[in-house]
Structure formats: structure tokens, C-alpha cells
Amino acid sequence: MDKFRNYDIVFSGLKNGKHEFRFEIDKAFFELFDTEQEFTDPRIVAEILMDRHTTFLELWIKTTGTVNLVCDITNDNFDYPIEHEIKVLVKFGEEYDDSDEDVITIPMTDHAFNAAQLIYEDVMLSIPMKKVSPNVSEEDLEILNLFSPEIIEEEEPATDPRWEALKKLKDNN
């Protein structure tokens, strides 16, 4: 966890109330996760507003910036704006538990909370599944739709007449 130390939010020693943290997110940040990225050249700022209470922390994580994506249609690179926000409640307990996506439990002995994973998830949720460049014209999209396979809706199979006959027998009894 040492490689993520730069993304610690140290809350011990802070008074109850609101505190702001800011992190510059670039390529080096994503290299910490050892995963393949669908984008390049991230220029992102993560702003975290923490409301410290005696028994829990409220975190609002907002990521804004741009990443470079490859268009699924034209294969051209384009900048895609990132803007996403999540809210997480961090409470104190016996041991670390992140099984609930909205509530994370950290040990009472901790003096800091590492926000790297939450920032990573916030950015990844901002990346669209279908990447279409804003430079793709309506005409190109129409041509693409002409050659795209059509979705065929399956009709419900007709009821087997033998089952209908059995249902009539059942209803008569």
C-alpha cells in the first residue's frame, strides 16, 4: 500500500467539520494499478470534500478533466471530458470492510484513509462503453446503421396444443 501513500487523507488531528483535499491525477497514478487502460494522456483533478464527524467521515469525491480515447468508429484519437462525483461514508470499526459500496469501515486505530481506489473507480465510471468521436458526422452514423445488424425480436412460441388440452382437463377437476 506504500505506493498509494500520496493519496492518503490524514484525518487525525483535524477538527470536526469540512476539509478539502486536491489530487492531480495523471498517467503515473493509473500505472500504480497494474491494469490495462482504455485511455491515454489523463489530465484529471480529484477534489475531495471531507466532512469529519466524531464517529465517521463523509467524503464527496469529484473528478474533472480529460482523457484521450480512440473512437470505435473512425479509430481516431479524441479528448473526452471527465466529470463524475461519488459520495462515500467512512465509519470506524474493528477491521477494514468495503463490501458495501456506499459505506467503508476502517479500523479505529487508523489515522488516515487512502482515497486512491475511490478516485480510480470514479474515473473508470466516467469512461463510456461506446467511444464515439464528436468529429463523426451524422452521415457517417447513418451509413454505419445501414450496415449494422438489425435486432430481431423473437416472437413468443405458440403454446403447444397438447398443453392446452391438459390444462382443460386440470380445470375440469
Side-chain angles (χ1 to χ4, degrees):
M1 201 67 164
D2 289 335
K3 63 183 182 178
F4 297 109
R5 177 166 273 145
N6 292 337
Y7 305 97
D8 279 351
I9 297 174
V10 180
F11 53 82
S12 68
L14 294 177
K15 294 181 181 181
N16 286 353
K18 296 185 179 188
H19 304 275
E20 293 182 16
F21 301 88
R22 181 182 166 101
F23 299 99
E24 300 286 329
I25 306 300
D26 57 9
K27 184 178 178 181
F29 173 79
F30 293 100
E31 289 172 352
L32 296 173
F33 289 90
D34 298 326
T35 58
E36 185 84 20
Q37 306 306 323
E38 297 181 6
F39 55 84
T40 58
D41 195 25
R43 298 172 305 278
I44 301 169
V45 172
E47 296 173 330
I48 300 177
L49 176 64
M50 178 185 73
D51 194 358
R52 186 183 190 326
H53 300 271
T54 306
T55 58
F56 65 95
L57 310 169
E58 285 181 280
L59 299 175
W60 290 270
I61 301 172
K62 182 177 183 181
T63 52
T64 55
T66 60
V67 294
N68 193 275
L69 299 175
V70 177
C71 178
D72 292 337
I73 297 171
T74 63
N75 218 25
D76 292 335
N77 289 352
F78 67 99
D79 282 339
Y80 183 79
I82 296 290
E83 187 167 340
H84 198 261
E85 189 171 338
I86 57 175
K87 180 184 176 185
V88 177
L89 186 71
V90 179
K91 67 179 189 173
F92 302 105
E94 294 299 316
E95 59 186 32
Y96 184 84
D97 178 19
D98 64 353
S99 58
D100 185 347
E101 64 187 48
D102 295 327
V103 180
I104 297 173
T105 304
I106 61 173
M108 287 187 244
T109 56
D110 282 4
H111 64 283
F113 176 76
N114 189 279
Q117 184 66 36
L118 293 176
I119 294 169
Y120 178 81
E121 290 172 6
D122 199 32
V123 171
M124 297 311 284
L125 287 171
S126 301
I127 306 298
M129 294 295 286
K130 187 175 182 180
K131 299 156 191 68
V132 179
S133 170
N135 300 329
V136 175
S137 69
E138 289 296 322
E139 185 178 294
D140 291 339
L141 291 174
E142 288 174 14
I143 291 171
L144 184 64
N145 284 335
L146 285 175
F147 295 102
S148 295
E150 292 183 27
I151 298 173
I152 301 172
E153 293 184 28
E154 293 184 25
E155 294 180 20
E156 271 191 46
T159 308
D160 189 336
R162 294 174 289 186
W163 287 111
E164 288 300 321
L166 288 173
K167 283 183 186 178
K168 287 179 185 175
L169 288 175
K170 181 180 174 186
D171 292 339
N172 288 339
N173 290 334

